[in-house]
Amino acid sequence: IFGFIAGVVVMLSYVLDGLKLRIANVIGSVLMVIYSVMLHSISLTVLNGLCIVIHLYYILKEEKNHEKK
């Protein structure tokens, strides 16, 4: 059930755009990391961990650009 919920959150994030997409995807990826750790799946943990890092980078970059304006 936990993995299904995490997958649904990630999938729903794709109907959003911009910052909302990235935030929802980070939440879904965090849930997927927790799930993949429970499954002892290193590949899923690394993949979703990288998704979190990438999305957080762009979220922070967008926030920094927004503060300059």
Side-chain angles (χ1 to χ4, degrees):
I1 296 257
F2 191 82
F4 181 74
I5 292 169
V8 168
V9 171
V10 171
M11 290 303 296
L12 288 177
S13 74
Y14 291 113
V15 300
L16 304 171
D17 61 346
L19 187 61
K20 290 179 184 177
L21 176 145
R22 295 199 183 278
I23 292 170
N25 203 280
V26 166
I27 293 167
S29 292
V30 166
L31 294 173
M32 287 300 288
V33 164
I34 294 167
Y35 180 66
S36 62
V37 167
M38 292 178 355
L39 291 178
H40 305 287
S41 175
I42 295 170
S43 60
L44 282 177
T45 302
V46 170
L47 174 67
N48 284 286
L50 289 172
C51 286
I52 292 167
V53 170
I54 291 167
H55 283 297
L56 287 177
Y57 168 78
Y58 283 106
I59 289 169
L60 294 173
K61 183 177 174 183
E62 187 172 319
E63 287 295 317
K64 188 176 179 180
N65 288 339
H66 186 339
E67 288 176 2
K68 287 182 180 181
K69 293 180 180 182

